[in-house]
Amino acid sequence: MSDQGGAPISSLPPPAPSGPISSLPPPAPSGPPPKVTNRGRSADPLPSSNSESTDIPEFEPFGLPGPRGFPPMTEYLDIVEVDMMKRPDESNRMQHHTMLFNSNNLIVRRGQEFQVKIGFNRPYNPASDKFAVEFVIGSSPQYSKGTYMPVFTSKERQSSWEGRITATADNAVTMGVTPAANCIVGKYHMYVAVMTPFGIRRTRRDNSRDLYILFNPWASDDAVFLDDETERQECVMTEMGIIYHGTNDDVAERNWNYGQFNYGVLDACLYIMDRADMPIPNRGDPIRVTRKASAMLNSRDDEGVLVGNWSGDYTYGVAPTSWTGSTDILLTYASSKMPVCYAQCWVYAAVFNTFLRCLGIPSRIVTNFFSAHDNDGNLRTDIILDDNGRIDRGRTKDSVWNYHCWNECFMSRPDLPTGFGGWQIVDATPQETSDGMYRCGPASVQAIKHGQICFPFDAAFVFAEVNSDVVFYTRSKDGALEPVKVNRTHVGRKVLTKNPGDMNRRDITNQYKFPEGSAEERTVLEKAEEYGCQREKSDLPVADVDLVLPTLEVSVGDDFELSLEFINSSDQSRTVDAYISGSVVYYTGVTSSEFLFRNPTVTIEPNKSVKESVTVDSKKYMKNLVEQANLHFIATGKVKETGQIVTAMKVVTLHNPKLTVTVSDGGKVNEEMTATVEFTNPFTFSLEGVYIRMEGPGIMLPMSKYYGLITGGSSLTWSEFFIPQRAGSSRLIASLDCPALRQVYGTASVTIEP
């Protein structure tokens, strides 16, 4: 309603405020802020989802139809059927090394020809008939972006993807298609298009004709080409891995099922890139893919795959030590679209390994024993002692992880000088930010070894993980710190990975650093200092008393003797006021609680040695034990005669009981078998809230069972039926996990006949 000659009531201005005009801003809207889009910045949104697509018209006219429409096109070539030749035993899957993928679609690798058989309504005539095979990925297909690729049969008309007719028979034509060796990796839709005088007609959209194109380490033009068949088989095709943990002189093994060929895992890996809003055109570059994935595998700042938890409280998820493979984690993330709880470094590395191998990037898990977490770039881990040589735990903040796992992936590095391609470090464990996000790498292993820490990405951080010094300081009463001992060999003591082709370990420490004390090592450290790394340069005199702690193998719940050896290399008697501390620590080196303290005074005759024994009572450490059962002993002391400081450190990883895993005999494909897990509680106390998990590549998908209580001394037996899907050798792995006892494993080898 409106006044005569006036504006409508709804368009009248609001009444003026009666008081003075308020200068306060309007209240902020509630709820999460809207997602920022590309509107106003680009004509089309940047395609960043492999799951979204645009339907291509079945008929694309060259002009407007006549008054009676287009004439019947029965005389022109028409497509009757398309055979993707996608069965695992057909040539495409066999030649492209994708026969193990459990998928209903064709999966091929870029830079290598695959075949498609097309059936027409009549015999194909090359002189008059023209057709093309079109490949489309993402929601805004464009030829210039590589997201729309027509492939033609004639040599005169070729795109960056090559095409040729390899066979004709009756009405069928077999066409060979070679995707470019740098094409986008992901899921494509395929169409067959035939040209007529009036327009182009195509096959309609059919999900059965979708195909996946992966990286190709077998193709010499691909950036991930790896010219070693044994390494390729291990780092791309092998589903079962070994992850090393424990300590450098007591290495333990953790079996893991990567499951990169399991149903749904490939789609989950592509979803991770979608979730990261990674532009589709960037997905052919392994450098960008691995850097983006190292951020997306953790949930710290992008709702990524895994939630890290080092607290010991896993009430709202699965304990990191309980996982036996990657399949459950990736499928849960893809279906729930929520981060999965929980992970620590080896879980991040294992799931990242699945992602890389699934997409075709050669990768392996590496364990660095005594790994420094350097957050200020000074290449030092500082341990503070008081005037008497006793460790000051209140002021010692730095920690050295007993071990840390990351990944290496193989690729060329055109962004770096020649010689720095090959193995690259990537790490998904959220430790420090890189370019504003929790991620690390890819960093060239060669760059780490040669001190070229200015090269992208994050080389300085990784360099510090394997090259830091442990520096002991004494703190005087006025607060001044004075370095008294530098241990230059403790950090980066050993770097291990699985040996290709067998179940043995491979020491690759020499790929990360030159021998300790060598001229090459000094040159590398000097070069790193040129790029800003700061080291402790104090040239301290070597003490004439040495302190040695033994290597011990101890089971959980055992009492044991810790024998310290004091060695006097001087010609005079020496007296040492010693401090021996035993603490329960997390594998990250962080102290949970101190359970042992002794302060003996030891006298050593000239050029002799003395052993000081300390009894470690299991009752003292068991009540404070945290997961992974690490005891950290540090012995320090001050020599009365010289004032010199002596130190020694030792991590003792307590050995857990084992699971017994057995499998019924006579295994055949598609025939039922039985797997049995047995466990006896060796303790006098009960275990509560026990989860057992079991799985094996090609033979059993992940299964789990819950036991509310296992009383002290009692046993359990769990049997499950399974039907193996593939012939060959495999392994069944099982884990038992509960708050009072972590990291209990068992394995069984299985041979399946066809």
Side-chain angles (χ1 to χ4, degrees):
M1 186 175 183
S2 64
D3 291 332
Q4 197 170 18
I9 291 173
S10 61
S11 63
L12 289 174
S18 56
I21 296 174
S22 171
S23 61
L24 292 173
S30 59
K35 188 174 180 180
V36 177
T37 68
N38 275 32
R39 185 177 177 182
R41 188 156 64 95
S42 59
D44 283 315
L46 203 62
S48 61
S49 175
N50 200 164
S51 58
E52 294 179 5
S53 60
T54 301
D55 284 335
I56 309 296
E58 287 182 47
F59 184 68
E60 207 170 327
F62 291 146
L64 295 173
R68 296 182 181 179
F70 292 108
M73 298 192 191
T74 51
E75 61 184 282
Y76 303 112
L77 196 67
D78 196 8
I79 306 110
V80 176
E81 65 173 340
V82 179
D83 180 5
M84 300 296 289
M85 303 172 71
K86 60 188 178 182
R87 289 202 318 272
D89 58 348
E90 289 188 277
S91 60
N92 280 339
R93 298 275 292 262
M94 296 295 289
Q95 291 172 3
H96 286 254
H97 308 276
T98 59
M99 58 283 186
L100 297 180
F101 277 97
N102 187 352
S103 172
N104 298 323
N105 293 89
L106 177 62
I107 302 172
V108 296
R109 300 187 188 275
R110 62 187 194 176
Q112 182 177 340
E113 186 177 76
F114 65 91
Q115 313 283 329
V116 176
K117 188 180 287 185
I118 304 165
F120 295 111
N121 59 336
R122 59 170 173 76
Y124 167 69
N125 182 357
S128 58
D129 296 331
K130 293 182 180 179
F131 78 94
V133 180
E134 300 172 318
F135 297 89
V136 174
I137 185 170
S139 57
S140 303
Q142 292 176 266
Y143 180 77
S144 62
K145 302 288 188 187
T147 52
Y148 166 72
M149 275 294 152
V151 182
F152 304 99
T153 57
S154 63
K155 288 186 177 179
E156 296 75 34
R157 192 180 182 196
Q158 290 284 355
S159 65
S160 61
W161 293 27
E162 295 179 8
R164 67 188 182 106
I165 291 177
T166 58
T168 55
D170 299 327
N171 294 359
V173 169
T174 302
M175 184 173 176
V177 178
T178 306
N182 62 349
C183 77
I184 296 164
V185 166
K187 185 178 184 179
Y188 287 78
H189 307 308
M190 194 193 89
Y191 302 88
V192 181
V194 175
M195 186 178 291
T196 72
F198 305 100
I200 297 171
R201 62 178 178 186
R202 307 184 162 80
T203 51
R204 67 181 56 178
R205 168 75 187 278
D206 186 341
N207 291 340
S208 69
R209 291 197 284 267
D210 292 349
L211 77 157
Y212 298 84
I213 298 181
L214 309 179
F215 292 100
N216 192 351
W218 284 267
S220 58
D221 292 336
D222 198 307
V224 302
F225 174 61
L226 175 57
D227 194 15
D228 184 326
E229 181 59 21
T230 306
E231 289 276 14
R232 281 194 299 243
Q233 288 297 323
E234 177 68 38
C235 297
V236 180
M237 302 298 292
T238 300
E239 295 171 272
M240 177 65 76
I242 297 175
I243 305 170
Y244 299 103
H245 63 110
T247 61
N248 72 301
D249 52 10
D250 186 15
V251 177
E253 297 179 355
R254 178 183 281 113
N255 286 267
W256 192 275
N257 178 18
Y258 299 124
Q260 67 265 37
F261 304 125
N262 283 350
Y263 186 83
V265 169
L266 177 53
D267 283 324
C269 293
L270 298 180
Y271 170 71
I272 289 170
M273 291 192 283
D274 286 356
R275 187 68 179 267
D277 288 331
M278 185 177 188
I280 296 282
N282 292 353
R283 299 190 188 185
D285 182 353
I287 299 171
R288 292 181 176 183
V289 168
T290 54
R291 183 148 176 81
K292 182 66 76 173
S294 79
M296 277 303 297
L297 264 294
N298 68 71
S299 65
R300 279 296 289 266
D301 39 26
D302 46 20
E303 292 292 296
V305 179
L306 283 158
V307 179
N309 186 346
W310 282 262
S311 71
D313 181 3
Y314 309 118
T315 307
Y316 298 102
V318 176
T321 45
S322 184
W323 298 113
T324 50
S326 306
T327 303
D328 259 359
I329 294 169
L330 287 167
L331 296 187
T332 300
Y333 181 69
S335 61
S336 71
K337 300 181 171 36
M338 295 285 289
V340 179
C341 302
Y342 292 105
Q344 291 174 9
C345 72
W346 72 91
V347 183
Y348 285 115
V351 178
F352 202 170
N353 218 48
T354 301
F355 174 91
L356 295 165
R357 290 187 182 184
C358 185
L359 294 183
I361 301 173
S363 64
R364 60 193 187 188
I365 293 181
V366 165
T367 302
N368 176 37
F369 287 95
F370 296 122
S371 187
H373 180 166
D374 181 57
N375 52 20
D376 53 9
N378 66 2
L379 289 186
R380 284 200 315 263
T381 299
D382 301 334
I383 296 178
I384 315 299
L385 310 176
D386 63 19
D387 265 351
N388 299 315
R390 180 182 180 180
I391 186 168
D392 187 339
R393 295 199 177 275
R395 290 185 169 86
T396 299
K397 302 298 183 186
D398 288 355
S399 67
V400 175
W401 293 34
N402 297 344
Y403 66 91
H404 179 49
C405 301
W406 59 66
N407 303 80
E408 286 181 2
C409 51
F410 198 91
M411 66 183 72
S412 62
R413 288 297 299 266
D415 57 325
L416 300 181
T418 304
F420 290 96
W423 291 110
Q424 311 290 315
I425 297 144
V426 285
D427 189 351
T429 302
Q431 295 184 88
E432 298 295 325
T433 57
S434 169
D435 296 335
M437 298 186 76
Y438 282 94
R439 57 184 167 189
C440 180
S444 166
V445 174
Q446 279 291 337
I448 303 304
K449 181 171 183 176
H450 292 278
Q452 298 284 2
I453 61 172
C454 60
F455 289 162
F457 297 87
D458 309 308
F461 182 82
V462 180
F463 184 85
E465 287 184 299
V466 294
N467 284 296
S468 288
D469 297 333
V470 178
V471 184
F472 292 86
Y473 294 88
T474 55
R475 183 178 184 276
S476 58
K477 290 182 172 59
D478 63 1
L481 294 177
E482 180 186 351
V484 290
K485 185 174 180 180
V486 180
N487 187 335
R488 303 195 190 280
T489 62
H490 183 69
V491 168
R493 189 78 63 88
K494 187 183 285 183
V495 184
L496 295 180
T497 189
K498 180 181 174 293
N499 201 49
D502 58 41
M503 304 304 281
N504 298 319
R505 67 185 71 144
R506 179 180 180 185
D507 191 327
I508 57 170
T509 313
N510 63 351
Q511 295 182 22
Y512 278 81
K513 56 207 293 192
F514 289 101
E516 300 282 358
S518 64
E520 295 92 340
E521 187 206 27
R522 282 195 298 275
T523 303
V524 166
L525 293 170
E526 287 167 6
K527 188 183 293 288
E529 287 185 273
E530 290 175 13
Y531 293 121
C533 276
Q534 302 168 5
R535 299 178 65 231
E536 178 55 59
K537 295 184 178 179
S538 303
D539 191 13
L540 303 171
V542 178
D544 53 21
V545 176
D546 201 8
L547 177 53
V548 178
L549 287 172
T551 298
L552 296 171
E553 290 193 14
V554 183
S555 294
V556 173
D558 286 357
D559 301 338
F560 61 96
E561 290 286 323
L562 181 71
S563 179
L564 294 81
E565 187 174 15
F566 294 82
I567 304 169
N568 181 4
S569 56
S570 75
D571 296 328
Q572 297 176 338
S573 178
R574 293 285 185 254
T575 303
V576 180
D577 288 329
Y579 296 89
I580 304 163
S581 169
S583 303
V584 173
V585 294
Y586 297 93
Y587 85 96
T588 54
V590 175
T591 299
S592 168
S593 58
E594 188 177 59
F595 66 89
L596 172 78
F597 180 74
R598 300 281 188 279
N599 56 337
T601 298
V602 181
T603 302
I604 318 126
E605 296 300 318
N607 297 307
K608 293 288 178 69
S609 65
V610 171
K611 288 191 175 180
E612 181 75 21
S613 288
V614 177
T615 300
V616 180
D617 189 345
S618 63
K619 292 177 184 175
K620 295 284 180 63
Y621 69 75
M622 282 298 288
K623 61 185 178 184
N624 298 311
L625 208 57
V626 295
E627 61 191 79
Q628 302 201 41
N630 292 309
L631 306 181
H632 184 239
F633 295 96
I634 181 165
T636 61
K638 192 171 187 177
V639 182
K640 279 186 178 179
E641 291 80 2
T642 63
Q644 293 171 328
I645 298 292
V646 294
T647 64
M649 294 184 291
K650 179 67 67 175
V651 174
V652 176
T653 300
L654 301 176
H655 292 210
N656 282 329
K658 296 274 192 283
L659 292 178
T660 302
V661 183
T662 54
V663 180
S664 57
D665 295 331
K668 288 189 175 182
V669 172
N670 293 327
E671 288 189 9
E672 194 173 76
M673 297 179 67
T674 308
T676 303
V677 178
E678 295 175 283
F679 174 74
T680 299
N681 180 359
F683 306 116
T684 55
F685 55 86
S686 298
L687 300 176
E688 299 180 13
V690 178
Y691 280 94
I692 302 182
R693 306 171 79 87
M694 178 166 50
E695 63 181 295
I699 53 175
M700 181 191 284
L701 289 173
M703 307 183 81
S704 63
K705 190 171 180 67
Y706 176 75
Y707 291 86
L709 184 74
I710 305 174
T711 56
S714 65
S715 300
L716 67 83
T717 301
W718 172 37
S719 294
E720 281 289 349
F721 295 109
F722 66 97
I723 300 175
Q725 301 299 307
R726 285 206 309 261
S729 297
S730 186
R731 285 169 79 82
L732 206 60
I733 53 179
S735 75
L736 178 145
D737 201 88
C738 66
L741 184 64
R742 307 280 185 199
Q743 233 168 220
V744 178
Y745 300 114
T747 66
S749 297
V750 186
T751 301
I752 306 298
E753 300 293 334

